Amino acid sequence: MHILAKGLELKELWLSLFSVPKGERCRTGLLFAWLFFFITTYYVLRPVRRGIVLDGLGNDNMCFVYVGTALVTGVTVWVYSKFAHLPRQVLIGTIYSIFLANLLAFYFLLPGGNNITSGAFWVWLDVFSIMGVTLFWMYANDVFDSTRARALFGIISAGGGLGAVLGSSITASLVKVLGTYNMLLVAACLIAVTMAIFLCLEKLNLKNPVRRSAKMEVKKADLSKMTEVFKVIASNKFLLCLTCLVCFERITPDLIQFLYNDVLHHMAQGRDALTFLDATLERNRGICEFLVELFLVSFILKKLGTGFCLTSSAAAIFFAVVAFALLGNPLIIVTVFHLDEGMRHAWFKSAKELTYTVTSRDVLYNVKPVIEMFFYRFSRGFAGVAIYLVNNVLHLGAGGVMVLCAACAITWIWAGVSLTREFARLEETRREEESKTLAVAV
């Protein structure tokens, strides 16, 4: 009897960690595959980008690249806003087709060795990653409510963790055989597969749209211009807290990345060596990340809550910066860089996307891209300017960057706590609305 009871307990634990309702398996599987192939593409290209740029432009010029990213993303979001009204199959399919064409163009342009082209590739990959991921989660938020999202987003996000493992492994394994530039063709093939998965998902003709909270409804006319979207964000406490969280979730890791790039550049020399080292580190982290996403994220969301998931990465960065300031061991920076990446890609991302489930479709398709793309990358531009001022104008060096990083981490924690409170309030409002609707129906 004791053994049987233990068996039942283990079965219950397994189901709580990893279970997909029968009616959601096809949709969940296709969303898992979509994210898996997209993130695989990104992680094939990410070490390639770092190797090309650090070997060419150098880390001292990264502040200008960050500013360029902010400007290009701003233009991209403005163009996107003009076409956001299109059917999602046309909108998303066209954007992914542009990604594919861009990759092929860079394949022919990058071997020329022009530093401007290398910088442009860094900027493009930033826009590629944030737009591709935003489109994916926009779609996922549109087909799940907060209850199903809390149970399934961790499993779906595991596709990203598995993609990180495979993508970095592909680059680490093939870069010395094919060379850095030929990895772009590998990435182009993966993007083509991603597009095919999206089209299969659309053919399912998903029904039963998720009911959205009336408190978050906004008029479509208000969202026809980016200035109006800014006004909507400024007038809504939930969206304001979310925007603040997104901004500091970008600024803080970029400050850590500046320190990490400097450490990495002293650990390896040459484009292929840098690409190989970074891909190896990414692969090892990705394995841990995948296992956590697949088996633990849903559990952590349920047991530790949204607040922990939104703030734990910031807390880790704060304590690591303090430890590095006291001990000076560069391995602290390497560790916290990958720890932060892992936590943000695992439970932070799932928790943040969970908060969008209490919003309306107008917010998902019009406001969310502005927050996740424009403000997110504008924050990278801010980080670039801050690094330039601290490092080149004030000549405070790594110490100044660390102080700024600690301050940003504290602000990130405050934004996470505030957003958690607003999300709980709106989720309760949605439940009350559903209860009233059921009562009227009965």
Side-chain angles (χ1 to χ4, degrees):
M1 291 293 292
H2 178 71
I3 295 175
L4 180 61
K6 283 290 184 182
L8 290 173
E9 287 177 8
L10 289 173
K11 182 179 180 181
E12 186 176 325
L13 177 62
W14 171 261
L15 291 174
S16 68
L17 294 176
F18 185 69
S19 61
V20 180
K22 189 174 181 180
E24 301 291 351
R25 288 173 186 171
C26 185
R27 176 166 34 185
T28 302
L30 284 172
L31 285 167
F32 179 98
W34 177 357
L35 186 61
F36 165 71
F37 278 99
F38 181 81
I39 297 299
T40 298
T41 307
Y42 175 57
Y43 273 86
V44 165
L45 294 171
R46 185 164 146 147
V48 169
R49 173 183 71 171
R50 203 183 301 275
I52 290 172
V53 173
L54 290 183
D55 190 53
L57 280 174
N59 195 37
D60 290 340
N61 291 314
M62 286 307 300
C63 54
F64 301 111
V65 174
Y66 289 163
V67 173
T69 297
L71 295 175
V72 172
T73 304
V75 174
T76 303
V77 173
W78 177 80
V79 173
Y80 169 88
S81 68
K82 302 301 179 183
F83 299 96
H85 63 280
L86 293 173
R88 66 188 183 193
Q89 181 170 328
V90 176
L91 179 67
I92 297 175
T94 300
I95 291 172
Y96 272 82
S97 298
I98 293 171
F99 287 160
L100 182 58
N102 290 161
L103 270 173
L104 295 175
F106 276 118
Y107 172 73
F108 292 104
L109 293 173
L110 283 171
N114 190 310
N115 285 343
I116 294 177
T117 307
S118 300
F121 181 62
W122 185 292
V123 171
W124 176 84
L125 190 59
D126 265 0
V127 176
F128 165 84
S129 64
I130 192 61
M131 176 164 271
V133 171
T134 298
L135 291 172
F136 170 80
W137 285 110
M138 189 170 69
Y139 192 98
N141 273 297
D142 199 16
V143 296
F144 288 122
D145 59 22
S146 61
T147 301
R148 287 183 291 174
R150 189 176 275 108
L152 298 176
F153 274 9
I155 296 170
I156 291 170
S157 68
L162 184 60
V165 174
L166 182 62
S168 53
S169 297
I170 288 172
T171 299
S173 301
L174 297 181
V175 68
K176 291 186 177 181
V177 178
L178 299 179
T180 297
Y181 297 118
N182 285 324
M183 298 307 300
L184 272 69
L185 294 180
V186 176
C189 293
L190 292 169
I191 279 294
V193 174
T194 307
M195 289 175 60
I197 293 169
F198 163 69
L199 294 174
C200 288
L201 189 58
E202 275 293 274
K203 284 186 178 180
L204 288 177
N205 192 21
L206 300 173
K207 298 179 181 180
N208 302 318
V210 176
R211 179 179 174 79
R212 301 290 171 184
S213 174
K215 295 289 184 181
M216 289 297 296
E217 294 291 345
V218 292
K219 295 180 180 179
K220 290 185 179 180
D222 293 337
L223 306 177
S224 59
K225 299 178 180 178
M226 284 187 64
T227 53
E228 295 301 312
V229 175
F230 295 156
K231 290 179 182 178
V232 169
I233 293 171
S235 63
N236 185 290
K237 187 176 180 180
F238 171 84
L239 294 176
L240 199 58
C241 290
L242 182 55
T243 302
C244 185
L245 178 79
V246 166
C247 288
F248 283 94
E249 181 247 328
R250 180 66 274 162
I251 294 170
T252 314
D254 275 345
L255 298 174
I256 283 291
Q257 182 169 242
F258 176 81
L259 299 172
Y260 174 76
N261 285 345
D262 193 51
V263 170
L264 199 67
H265 207 196
H266 285 86
M267 293 173 68
Q269 299 295 323
R271 181 176 59 247
D272 289 350
L274 283 165
T275 299
F276 175 77
L277 175 61
D278 194 45
T280 302
L281 291 170
E282 297 274 14
R283 177 181 58 193
N284 294 337
R285 188 200 73 235
I287 293 171
C288 298
E289 189 179 310
F290 166 66
L291 294 173
V292 169
E293 288 172 339
L294 187 60
F295 297 110
L296 294 178
V297 168
S298 295
F299 180 79
I300 291 170
L301 271 171
K302 292 175 184 177
K303 299 299 181 180
L304 300 181
T306 308
F308 170 83
C309 294
L310 293 177
T311 59
S312 54
S313 188
I317 289 175
F318 176 80
F319 288 114
V321 166
V322 172
F324 182 62
L326 295 174
L327 303 176
N329 189 334
L331 290 180
I332 294 174
I333 296 299
V334 174
T335 300
V336 77
F337 174 80
H338 288 286
L339 182 63
D340 163 64
E341 290 268 314
M343 288 193 290
R344 282 192 296 118
H345 295 163
W347 55 72
F348 175 88
K349 185 68 176 178
S350 295
K352 186 186 70 171
E353 295 301 332
L354 173 62
T355 64
Y356 278 107
T357 58
V358 297
T359 65
S360 67
R361 286 189 175 83
D362 284 339
V363 170
L364 282 181
Y365 285 93
N366 294 279
V367 179
K368 186 179 193 291
V370 174
I371 295 175
E372 298 289 344
M373 289 191 286
F374 176 80
F375 280 104
Y376 189 75
R377 290 312 182 197
F378 175 81
S379 299
R380 167 153 279 182
F382 177 86
V385 171
I387 290 170
Y388 178 79
L389 291 175
V390 170
N391 204 43
N392 297 78
V393 177
L394 300 177
H395 302 290
L396 298 177
V401 174
M402 286 189 289
V403 170
L404 183 60
C405 186
C408 290
I410 293 172
T411 308
W412 176 354
I413 293 171
W414 169 82
V417 172
S418 300
L419 178 62
T420 301
R421 291 172 181 167
E422 283 299 298
F423 171 65
R425 180 181 64 80
L426 287 171
E427 195 172 31
E428 182 61 31
T429 300
R430 182 183 62 80
R431 290 197 187 102
E432 291 175 359
E433 289 174 354
E434 289 178 349
S435 298
K436 290 178 182 178
T437 302
L438 289 173
V440 170
V442 172

